[in-house]
Amino acid sequence: MVAFATSIEEEDFFGHRAWRLVSPDGPSALVAERGATLLSWQPSESHEVIDGYIDGDELDAHFDARCLIMAPWCGRIASGKFSFDGASHTVSSPEIAGLGGLTAELEFTRV
């Protein structure tokens, strides 16, 4: 029987819940529940292209900020101010104007 839908299975990643997504034609990804962080991407069997976290301690520390979702923004925001759709906005704190990946501490769930 040929599978026509991506399979999603729960896995343990050094004490962290993660989800293995496997396409019917072979590619797979491993995504941590914490921060929805991409841990592995294999476009074909045994062909890893992500330099992901090697253990739970690196994931907890966000070591090198590997594969973090850069939301609500990515990169630096000069002076913490920006314009969008004709309106000016200021980031709440200049100290966080350069931060992205603020979702890294959030626990995502499978929907």
Side-chain angles (χ1 to χ4, degrees):
M1 176 183 233
V2 177
F4 293 105
T6 298
S7 68
I8 304 172
E9 300 293 330
E10 184 177 340
E11 283 189 22
D12 178 75
F13 182 78
F14 298 94
H16 293 274
R17 182 180 292 173
W19 302 97
R20 171 77 56 191
L21 293 79
V22 181
S23 172
D25 55 346
S28 71
L30 183 63
V31 180
E33 187 174 70
R34 161 127 348 126
T37 304
L38 183 63
L39 301 170
S40 169
W41 167 242
Q42 296 181 352
S44 60
E45 189 173 337
S46 301
H47 182 202
E48 181 62 58
V49 296
I50 297 296
D51 183 18
Y53 297 107
I54 61 169
D55 59 32
D57 291 337
E58 279 195 1
L59 178 60
D60 285 337
H62 314 301
F63 187 71
D64 289 341
R66 295 179 189 151
C67 298
L68 294 179
I69 294 174
M70 300 306 283
W73 61 83
C74 63
R76 305 251 173 226
I77 298 176
S79 303
K81 299 177 183 183
F82 66 98
S83 296
F84 178 76
D85 201 22
S88 295
H89 303 275
T90 303
V91 176
S92 61
S93 169
E95 293 83 37
I96 67 169
L99 298 179
L102 298 179
T103 62
E105 294 297 325
L106 300 177
E107 298 293 328
F108 286 73
T109 59
R110 176 184 167 189
V111 181

